[in-house]
Amino acid sequence: MPTVAEKKAAEQADTPERKAPLVHESSVKRNRAGTVYCQWYVTFPKGGIPEDLADPTIWARCQNSGATAFKRKDEVRVDSYDGSWSADCIVSHASLTEVVLAVKAMTKLPARTEHLYEDDLYAVRFVGNGYSVFRKSDDQRVKPDSYPSPEVARQRLLELYPTRAT
């Protein structure tokens, strides 16, 4: 009969290794550029967890773009896609394919409690960097833009319906 340790080892062997999502260069924005270092704001990809920040290869796409490449001593604020955590980091090493971050502070944020507008066909949802309109029948984003507030997204949702001719 197998021991508890052997069972756990067998279960771990059966589960595939989780792969951290790559950070897309469009989710990186320069907050301020100084003469010595820059400050950056990053919306972390959906499904990302704080432990993924330890993987230096997730930044390869950002480092391939001159507009979003980090350099040593840059400050980076990373917010999760769903807004559940935020990390303040310093770049300790940067190359063409990797970035090593030193996490200064990790903050767990309270759950979102706002009520977002929806009707029978469409719903407003938070999308990481703002709010967008989704079709309920197939869960597709109707408007490709994200809006800064839920009220603006609600207005765009209402514009989807035809107006009454006078």
Side-chain angles (χ1 to χ4, degrees):
M1 187 156 114
T3 65
V4 174
E6 290 173 346
K7 286 181 181 178
K8 285 185 180 179
E11 288 174 6
Q12 289 176 352
D14 292 340
T15 58
E17 185 69 25
R18 183 183 172 281
K19 192 165 173 120
L22 293 176
V23 178
H24 195 276
E25 60 270 15
S26 66
S27 65
V28 176
K29 294 173 179 54
R30 187 185 341 246
N31 183 41
R32 184 172 61 187
T35 56
V36 178
Y37 65 91
C38 295
Q39 290 180 336
W40 298 90
Y41 176 77
V42 178
T43 302
F44 212 59
K46 191 173 188 177
I49 58 175
E51 289 76 19
D52 292 339
L53 294 175
D55 183 358
T57 61
I58 63 172
W59 304 99
R61 292 188 69 164
C62 301
Q63 294 301 98
N64 284 332
S65 171
T68 59
F70 301 152
K71 64 183 186 305
R72 187 168 155 76
K73 302 293 184 190
D74 281 356
E75 293 181 351
V76 183
R77 155 96 31 100
V78 181
D79 283 348
S80 68
Y81 183 84
D82 62 358
S84 63
W85 56 268
S86 180
D88 290 318
C89 310
I90 295 177
V91 176
S92 65
H93 171 73
S95 70
L96 292 174
T97 58
E98 295 181 342
V99 173
V100 177
L101 296 177
V103 179
K104 293 192 307 185
M106 180 68 66
T107 307
K108 185 175 183 321
L109 302 171
R112 302 179 75 84
T113 59
E114 63 190 343
H115 176 70
L116 300 176
Y117 181 81
E118 65 180 89
D119 61 18
D120 293 339
L121 300 177
Y122 302 103
V124 172
R125 295 190 187 141
F126 182 72
V127 292
N129 62 344
Y131 300 85
S132 195
V133 178
F134 286 80
R135 187 172 42 240
K136 286 181 164 181
S137 62
D138 57 1
D139 204 33
Q140 292 297 309
R141 191 186 286 198
V142 177
K143 297 279 190 170
D145 303 325
S146 62
Y147 304 104
S149 74
E151 183 58 30
V152 174
R154 184 181 83 79
Q155 291 297 323
R156 297 301 172 264
L157 183 153
L158 295 174
E159 290 173 2
L160 293 171
Y161 292 105
T163 58
R164 174 176 262 165
T166 56

